[in-house]
Amino acid sequence: MSSNKEPKVAYFCMEYGLDKAIRIYAGGLGILAGDILKAAKELNKPMIGIGILWRQGYTKQLIAEDGRPYDSYHNNDYMYKLLDDTGITVTVRIRDEDIICKVWKLQRYDNVPLYLLDTNHKKNANKWITGQLYGWFVEERIAQELILGVGGIKLIRKLGLNIDIYHFNEGHAVFAGIELIREKIKQGHTFDEALAEVRKEIVFTTHTPVKEGNEKHRLDSIRYMGGFRGLTLEQMVKIGGAPFNMTVAGLRLSHMANAVAELHAVTARKMWEHVDNKPPIIAITNGVHHKTWVDQRIREAYDQGKLLWPVHQELKKELIKYIKQKTGVNLSSDKLLIGFARRAAPYKRSDLIFSKASIIGPYLKEGKIQLVFSGKAHPLDDTGKRIISSLVKMSKKYQHSVVFLEDYNMEIGKKLTRGIDLWLNNPRRPKEASGTSGMKAAMNGVLNMSILDGWWPEACEDGVNGWQFGDGYQDSDQDKQDEHDLKALYEVLLNKVVPTYYHNRERWEEMMKASIESTYERFSAKRMLKRYYKEIYTF
Ligand SMILES: *Cc1c(COP(=O)(O)O)cnc(C)c1O
């Protein structure tokens, strides 16, 4: 491999958010993977994607009459029409059974092919391993991860591709590393040699800075499922510890790792401080794909130095119309419209803004502040579901100014981040890894009002291109932190945002321009991918 040629990369991810119709994604991780493939396609980078064809995808989460979310799954077999059959199959041994995986290739991505593995094959006794993304229980998850990792490597061998770098986006793919080690041992290397060799080819991206969010498995479960791939217990422990931590394994299998924002890198380094034999964890802040997430009309107005407001209003009215269709509620295009869409996890504090009804209530009753929410809870997460219920309850309490859009997906994500006036983000710092929705908003001239977490500390010029609140305050006492941040939220919202919106349109528009100016290039998927090639795809 000559040094002036770019490395050929195999990108592994459990989910890809490419298009609303291709329901093989759940959230941010998949959206990132999708945006990376799109950027690679446009930059014509030597990359392939490896993923799974989830027959039922992630939950379609709807709201019942009583306001509670429920999950509904469908076989999305129409997706087969969007895919080409490669005619290739690979076999992965799971629980002492050979599982056949069909291999599909997504159309339209020829120069950056995305290969999707699918266990829905007539000869398989169990066709449902690739049924539901993040569904079911522990052993099934291991089976899914074996399909992605082991199946992915076997596929690469079958295709005869020369891959220089294996990129594991999150820990789900680490069985690919185990499989690479198995290959090397078969060629006559010792385990230690094999590990040292494969590390040169692997890079790893870590995500959640919430410890419990990092997947662990009992070693006997992994052994039972066939995940050792010939390695000994001791060797497995050397990689992932006991219990086997997928993130720790990702770190110990790679020679370079990255976090997804500057602050996240600091947090991740501290979080994995105790892990020996880990690579440097550098920061490569996420970016988003322009064509997918930025509205052409607002970009054009910006480029041509035209007024942004009329275009923004047009986008806002489109969103309001969509909301009317979905919920029956008719929001006003002349009143401040705030958006908030997140996975329902406690640290994201979706309902923080409602904490003091005596303060926020009058604004909502009067309609001076309007709120649109969306988001899903993991199907097995009762706490998350309670959060959604509480938001739905608020939409009933403030019927004319608060709405909840069910089944959060890429379409809703797109409409929200271009049609609202203000994007609100209030995680309990520093638990947000990056947060790409805020980038999408910023590039559309939608102002961010956010805690200094994730990507925002890198971009925020307070009062110039958006607002921060909370001043980066952290407290190990959660109640104290919540109280502090709530006070800051109300202060900024009611004393800065609301007056600017209603009484200083000129300034608001200046801020919209500054928002686009300061984020468009800097947080683009292309910039992110170029940094990947330069800073972690090294060998
Ligand atoms: C952008 C996007 C995400 C990622 O959002 P975060 O800001 O990282 O939470 C998740 N889901 C959808 C549908 C999106 O459009």
Side-chain angles (χ1 to χ4, degrees):
M1 168 99 212
S2 66
S3 57
N4 60 354
K5 233 174 77 194
E6 284 192 305
K8 197 156 169 50
V9 177
Y11 188 85
F12 284 71
C13 190
M14 197 78 151
E15 49 168 309
Y16 289 87
L18 291 156
D19 190 299
K20 175 190 155 222
I22 307 165
R23 291 185 69 107
I24 56 170
Y25 68 95
L29 185 74
I31 305 285
L32 173 69
D35 281 5
I36 282 177
L37 287 196
K38 289 173 184 173
K41 184 185 173 202
E42 286 171 10
L43 293 168
N44 208 12
K45 293 282 187 192
M47 182 181 267
I48 64 162
I50 304 275
I52 287 179
L53 183 68
W54 300 103
R55 193 167 178 206
Q56 298 189 329
Y58 192 54
T59 173
K60 182 176 173 74
Q61 196 165 73
L62 305 173
I63 306 299
E65 276 302 313
D66 67 0
R68 265 184 292 196
Y70 67 95
D71 298 292
S72 101
Y73 286 95
H74 307 270
N75 295 345
N76 297 315
D77 288 347
Y78 68 85
M79 288 195 301
Y80 286 116
K81 286 204 288 278
L82 310 171
L83 303 164
D84 288 327
D85 189 349
T86 62
I88 298 172
T89 58
V90 294
T91 301
V92 182
R93 193 146 184 90
I94 294 174
R95 216 164 8 203
D96 264 338
E97 213 182 300
D98 283 329
I99 303 291
I100 304 167
C101 308
K102 288 202 251 191
V103 181
W104 302 91
K105 203 169 98 174
L106 190 64
Q107 291 158 5
R108 288 183 284 130
Y109 282 80
D110 295 337
N111 60 336
V112 181
L114 171 60
Y115 296 100
L116 297 172
L117 297 150
D118 174 16
T119 60
N120 181 22
H121 186 285
K122 58 181 182 299
K123 286 195 187 143
N124 286 335
N126 182 358
K127 300 178 178 56
W128 283 104
I129 296 174
T130 57
Q132 295 181 357
L133 172 58
Y134 306 133
W136 302 327
F137 44 90
V138 180
E139 284 175 358
E140 296 313 309
R141 173 69 67 86
I142 296 171
Q144 296 174 334
E145 290 167 338
L146 285 168
I147 298 291
L148 178 69
V150 178
I153 296 297
K154 288 192 159 192
L155 171 63
I156 286 168
R157 297 298 173 247
K158 252 202 174 156
L159 292 167
L161 300 174
N162 280 317
I163 296 298
D164 301 304
I165 295 289
Y166 300 87
H167 185 167
F168 300 167
N169 189 33
E170 248 286 2
H172 308 121
V174 299
F175 291 118
I178 308 290
E179 179 65 7
L180 289 171
I181 292 174
R182 187 194 66 81
E183 287 182 341
K184 290 266 192 272
I185 291 175
K186 206 174 154 204
Q187 289 161 12
H189 292 279
T190 65
F191 169 78
D192 287 332
E193 287 166 2
L195 175 58
E197 281 302 307
V198 306
R199 281 191 81 165
K200 293 181 193 161
E201 304 174 327
I202 298 173
V203 301
F204 176 63
T205 301
T206 184
H207 287 267
T208 179
V210 183
K211 204 139 210 184
E212 312 77 60
N214 288 271
E215 198 177 309
K216 285 188 290 234
H217 293 295
R218 292 164 52 111
L219 281 145
D220 54 0
S221 298
I222 295 179
R223 178 174 8 220
Y224 168 71
M225 295 305 287
F228 281 20
R229 307 292 300 152
L231 270 57
T232 65
L233 175 67
E234 196 190 3
Q235 290 163 349
M236 288 297 284
V237 172
K238 201 165 169 182
I239 294 168
F244 190 88
N245 184 306
M246 301 294 273
T247 306
V248 170
L251 290 169
R252 290 199 183 129
L253 283 165
S254 57
H255 70 280
M256 278 302 278
N258 78 295
V260 291
E262 299 282 343
L263 177 61
H264 178 222
V266 175
T267 312
R269 281 179 212 129
K270 205 182 284 164
M271 200 164 137
W272 305 112
E273 203 169 35
H274 62 283
V275 176
D276 57 6
N277 294 320
K278 65 177 174 303
I281 303 176
I282 66 164
I284 298 183
T285 302
N286 284 344
V288 298
H289 180 249
H290 286 156
K291 276 209 198 93
T292 306
W293 300 111
V294 182
D295 192 274
Q296 204 55 38
R297 289 165 285 177
I298 197 90
R299 183 64 206 177
E300 253 171 50
Y302 174 84
D303 280 339
Q304 296 167 359
K306 290 190 182 147
L307 287 177
L308 297 179
W309 194 255
V311 184
H312 172 68
Q313 283 302 98
E314 192 180 320
L315 294 167
K316 186 172 175 183
K317 282 175 189 159
E318 286 173 11
L319 171 64
I320 286 174
K321 195 172 154 203
Y322 179 80
I323 291 171
K324 174 90 168 57
Q325 280 166 4
K326 293 278 171 185
T327 65
V329 178
N330 206 357
L331 297 175
S332 163
S333 61
D334 297 324
K335 300 286 167 62
L336 178 66
L337 180 55
I338 302 178
F340 188 106
R342 299 250 91 108
R343 181 166 59 84
Y347 75 85
K348 306 216 184 209
R349 302 187 295 192
S350 307
D351 50 6
L352 185 69
I353 192 170
F354 296 115
S355 304
K356 288 214 165 96
S358 58
I359 295 178
I360 198 72
Y363 287 89
L364 296 172
K365 281 206 187 98
E366 196 190 333
K368 207 166 178 183
I369 292 177
Q370 308 175 105
L371 292 164
V372 48
F373 287 93
S374 194
K376 287 177 184 172
H378 183 276
L380 300 175
D381 176 13
D382 287 331
T383 311
K385 288 192 171 171
R386 270 198 296 277
I387 294 172
I388 303 270
S389 296
S390 77
L391 295 175
V392 174
K393 210 164 133 193
M394 288 301 146
S395 74
K396 288 179 178 161
K397 181 170 177 188
Y398 305 105
Q399 280 181 41
H400 305 292
S401 47
V402 178
V403 292
F404 182 85
L405 294 173
E406 63 185 1
D407 196 36
Y408 183 41
N409 56 37
M410 283 180 77
E411 181 182 38
I412 295 176
K414 271 189 206 182
K415 288 198 192 308
L416 280 187
T417 52
R418 63 191 65 183
I420 53 169
D421 298 306
L422 186 85
W423 180 259
L424 174 65
N425 182 33
N426 47 232
R428 210 174 272 132
R429 194 180 193 264
K431 293 201 165 72
E432 185 80 283
S434 186
T436 54
S437 304
M439 299 173 187
K440 300 171 194 168
M443 291 177 192
N444 281 301
V446 167
L447 302 184
N448 276 265
M449 173 182 157
S450 172
I451 291 278
L452 285 170
D453 201 5
W455 76 293
W456 190 230
E458 293 165 51
C460 176
E461 298 163 65
D462 189 37
V464 177
N465 66 352
W467 289 273
Q468 67 89 18
F469 64 99
D471 302 322
Y473 176 85
Q474 277 172 227
D475 202 308
S476 54
D477 182 336
Q478 276 189 12
D479 291 341
K480 262 202 194 142
Q481 187 168 350
D482 291 354
E483 201 178 311
H484 173 275
D485 291 346
L486 178 67
K487 192 159 164 267
L489 187 160
Y490 286 150
E491 256 167 35
V492 173
L493 179 62
L494 305 178
N495 301 332
K496 292 182 180 171
V497 175
V498 168
T500 310
Y501 183 84
Y502 286 105
H503 305 300
N504 200 344
R505 182 65 36 85
E506 214 174 306
R507 165 113 187 276
W508 190 279
E509 231 185 301
E510 277 308 308
M511 290 182 74
M512 288 173 69
K513 265 191 222 150
S515 173
I516 297 173
E517 170 74 36
S518 59
T519 58
Y520 189 79
E521 294 299 340
R522 207 164 140 213
F523 298 98
S524 77
K526 282 188 183 167
R527 182 230 29 115
M528 161 181 59
L529 190 65
K530 284 180 188 161
R531 285 194 62 196
Y532 277 164
Y533 271 88
K534 218 156 119 192
E535 297 172 50
I536 65 169
Y537 297 163
T538 52
F539 56 109

